[in-house]
């Protein structure tokens, strides 16, 4: 898009519609949400109790609300053309807003995709060991997972073009959920002395941080919205996608916790070691996270390319492709290298989830909308929703961040290395 077009669209408060379908947008959102967290929700109940079922549902509904607020901020007429999540921060609070959003977004995408690649590589290694093939080192499987992400990331340019990958990821997660729910139901009659909690308040902040991570696809919402040929269908599309993910979370968490109680593992299929069905679920989830990682990285690289003015209009088709391939390959290579050399990466991601996810999913859309549209003129039900959302999210940001930092210091004090 040229500078002249950017100024024109910003002044008019309009933006050209994309070419993507609403179904493709639905799968992009679903793929960004329903991933590793789906099969780990039972562990949230194991640490915090049955009450977290209500929290999962409420968090989903609030995510729908903040997802619509975010798009309203994008359509607000201003002197800044809003195409990305950091643009929303810029339009609301200037450079400080953009910087805060960029920090949260980049830590989530960078850390999240690294975790996805490590997870997929680890599951590939585990499956190889299940087949009695143990000659290949762990880092080779992580590299293989990175190559799987690299191929579509470099060959496809926009979020709209990777929609079919999102559809594959969503279907893979659904199949994994069906397998795990079936295994749990088969196991349930033989379970005895299973212990449950109604609510464990001291773990509530950690549980909400994990739930926030599960709803953490917010950072790609602007790219998905701008890719839609019918943006007026956004509210329906984002609602359908988030509620679909919420339904998966509720089913998997309730069935898993009912079966194993306070002993529920994360992910749930670790209860079924030695089973071929366990590895089917693990590999399906591995396929999903690689699909989700591709979509997340695509959205991040699009922002980098926009900042560096990498476009066909300015460079020509061949030079644009070369620069795009170099940028995306370099970003992915850095994440794969991090995954190969850093141990206990989940400790770092607990910190990212506690702070960045809560900020981007719940706090930033709400605060930006208040800044751009003001407090007055809202429906009566919105005021308590906004107040409760901000209070709970802020408490969880503070408590969850404290707990995550404390866990990191405990790890350091035990003289264990973070590096392979």
């Amino acid at each position: 898009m040229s500078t002249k077009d950017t100024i024109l669209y910003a002044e008019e408060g309009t933006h050209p519609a994309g070419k993507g379908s609403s179904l493709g947008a639905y799968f992009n959102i679903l793929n960004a949400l329903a991933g590793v967290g789906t099969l780990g929700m039972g562990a949230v109940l194991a640490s915090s109790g049955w009450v977290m079922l209500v929290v999962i549902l409420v968090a989903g509904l609030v995510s729908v609300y903040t997802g619509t607020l975010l798009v309203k901020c994008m359509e607000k007429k201003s002197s800044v053309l809003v195409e990305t999540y950091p643009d929303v921060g810029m339009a609301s609070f200037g450079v400080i807003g953009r910087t805060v959003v960029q920090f949260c977004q980049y830590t989530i995408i960078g850390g999240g995709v690294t975790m996805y690649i490590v997870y997929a590589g680890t599951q590939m290694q585990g499956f190889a060991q299940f087949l009695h093939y143990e000659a290949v080192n762990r880092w080779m499987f992580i590299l293989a997972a990175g190559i799987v992400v690299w191929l579509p990331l470099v060959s496809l340019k926009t979020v709209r073009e990777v929609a079919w990958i999102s559809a594959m990821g969503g279907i893979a997660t659904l199949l994994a959920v069906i397998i795990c729910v079936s295994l749990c139901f088969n196991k349930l009659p033989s379970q005895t002395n299973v212990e449950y909690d109604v609510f464990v308040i001291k773990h509530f902040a950690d549980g909400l941080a994990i739930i926030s991570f599960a709803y953490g696809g917010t950072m790609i919402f602007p790219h998905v919205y701008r890719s839609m040929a019918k943006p007026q269908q956004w509210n329906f599309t984002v609602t359908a996608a988030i509620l679909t993910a919420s339904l998966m979370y509720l089913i998997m968490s309730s069935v898993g916790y009912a079966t194993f109680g306070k002993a529920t593992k994360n992910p749930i299929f670790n209860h079924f070691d030695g089973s071929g069905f366990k590895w089917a679920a693990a590999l399906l989830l591995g396929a999903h996270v690689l699909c989700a990682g591709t979509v997340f990285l695509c959205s991040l690289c699009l922002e980098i390319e926009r900042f560096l003015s990498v476009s066909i209009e300015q460079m020509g088709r061949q030079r644009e492709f070369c620069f795009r391939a170099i940028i995306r390959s370099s970003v992915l290579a850095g994440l794969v290298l991090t995954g190969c050399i850093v141990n206990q990466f989940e400790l770092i991601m607990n910190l990212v989830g506690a702070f960045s996810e809560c900020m981007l999913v719940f706090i930033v859309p709400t605060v930006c909308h208040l800044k751009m549209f003001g407090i007055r003129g809202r429906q009566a039900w919105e005021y308590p929703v906004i107040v409760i959302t901000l209070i709970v999210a802020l408490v969880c940001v503070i408590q969850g961040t404290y707990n995550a930092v404390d866990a990191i210091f405990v790890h350091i004090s035990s003289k264990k290395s973070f590096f392979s």
Side-chain angles (χ1 to χ4, degrees):
M1 182 179 296
S2 68
T3 303
K4 180 179 179 181
D5 289 337
T6 298
I7 295 173
L8 176 62
Y9 294 134
E11 289 177 347
E12 293 181 351
T14 61
H15 191 283
K19 299 179 180 179
S21 68
S22 298
L23 181 61
Y26 166 84
F27 278 116
N28 274 327
I29 297 169
L30 181 61
N31 185 52
L33 297 177
V36 176
T38 308
L39 302 188
M41 282 296 174
V44 174
L45 270 65
S47 64
S48 303
W50 284 111
V51 141
M52 298 309 284
L53 283 175
V54 178
V55 177
I56 291 170
L57 178 59
V58 172
L61 296 175
V62 173
S63 297
V64 171
Y65 178 61
T66 57
T68 59
L69 293 185
L70 184 61
V71 164
K72 289 178 181 178
C73 291
M74 294 177 65
E75 292 301 325
K76 173 73 172 178
K77 181 179 178 181
S78 69
S79 59
V80 179
L81 177 63
V82 181
E83 292 188 321
T84 66
Y85 206 151
D87 290 342
V88 175
M90 182 71 181
S92 303
F93 295 98
V95 176
I96 294 177
R98 173 184 285 277
T99 302
V100 170
V101 173
Q102 283 179 325
F103 172 80
C104 295
Q105 181 175 359
Y106 296 168
T107 53
I108 291 170
I109 294 179
V113 173
T114 301
M115 185 184 70
Y116 287 166
I117 292 172
V118 170
Y119 172 85
T122 302
Q123 297 307 320
M124 291 164 63
Q125 182 186 30
F127 184 63
Q129 292 172 346
F130 176 70
L131 299 177
H132 306 290
Y133 183 76
E134 302 183 9
V136 182
N137 293 326
R138 171 177 171 270
W139 68 268
M140 289 295 292
F141 288 102
I142 295 176
L143 180 60
I147 292 173
V148 173
V149 173
W150 178 79
L151 291 171
L153 180 67
V154 172
S155 59
L156 302 174
K157 182 177 179 180
T158 67
V159 172
R160 173 179 63 87
E161 292 171 332
V162 299
W164 63 272
I165 296 178
S166 295
M168 291 174 58
I171 293 171
T173 300
L174 178 60
L175 292 175
V177 169
I178 291 172
I179 290 173
C180 289
V181 168
S182 300
L183 290 173
C184 286
F185 274 127
N186 186 58
K187 188 86 170 178
L188 186 59
S190 63
Q191 294 294 95
T192 57
N193 301 320
V194 179
E195 297 181 354
Y196 308 101
D197 288 313
V198 176
F199 184 45
V200 182
I201 191 169
K202 69 178 181 178
H203 296 307
F204 176 75
D206 294 334
L208 186 59
I210 296 172
I211 293 171
S212 298
F213 192 82
Y215 287 109
T218 310
M219 75 285 297
I220 74 162
F221 284 4
H223 289 285
V224 175
Y225 176 68
R226 290 301 188 205
S227 73
M228 294 177 65
K230 297 179 179 179
Q232 65 273 17
Q233 295 182 357
W234 168 257
N235 286 355
F236 174 79
T237 302
V238 72
T239 301
I242 291 177
L243 291 184
T244 301
S246 298
L247 182 61
M248 290 187 187
Y249 298 157
L250 290 170
I251 292 174
M252 194 66 260
S253 60
S254 59
V255 172
Y257 190 51
T259 304
F260 301 104
K262 293 162 66 173
T264 305
K265 297 179 181 179
N266 181 15
I268 191 72
F269 54 66
N270 283 338
H271 285 284
F272 308 102
D273 288 338
S275 168
F277 288 108
K278 177 239 176 161
W279 287 112
L283 293 177
L284 283 168
L285 198 59
H288 165 85
V289 298
L290 294 181
C291 292
T294 302
V295 176
F296 279 124
L297 272 187
C298 182
S299 68
L300 173 61
C301 290
L302 284 171
E303 294 189 21
I304 297 174
E305 291 154 16
R306 178 188 175 212
F307 176 77
L308 297 176
S309 300
V310 177
S311 65
I312 295 176
E313 292 79 9
Q314 297 189 27
M315 293 183 169
R317 189 173 299 276
Q318 291 184 345
R319 287 190 66 215
E320 183 271 344
F321 176 79
C322 290
F323 272 86
R324 171 159 52 90
I326 291 171
I327 291 170
R328 298 188 178 197
S329 299
S330 300
V331 171
L332 181 59
L335 300 183
V336 171
L337 179 62
T338 301
C340 288
I341 66 176
V342 177
N343 286 323
Q344 302 298 321
F345 199 76
E346 66 273 10
L347 293 177
I348 300 173
M349 286 311 298
N350 287 341
L351 178 59
V352 171
F355 180 79
S356 296
E357 290 284 7
C358 282
M359 287 289 291
L360 290 192
V361 176
F362 301 119
I363 296 176
V364 173
T366 306
V367 172
C368 287
H369 195 272
L370 288 171
K371 178 66 167 59
M372 295 180 75
F373 291 88
I375 297 177
R376 297 181 179 179
R378 300 173 183 272
Q379 297 186 48
W381 62 266
E382 290 188 78
Y383 293 103
V385 169
I386 289 173
V387 171
I388 294 172
T389 296
L390 292 178
I391 291 175
V392 173
L394 283 171
V395 168
C396 290
V397 165
I398 296 170
Q399 184 63 46
T401 300
Y402 173 82
N403 292 344
V405 171
D406 182 62
I408 291 174
F409 275 108
V410 169
H411 182 82
I412 294 174
S413 64
S414 65
K415 298 182 179 180
K416 295 180 181 178
S417 175
F418 271 99
F419 302 98
S420 301

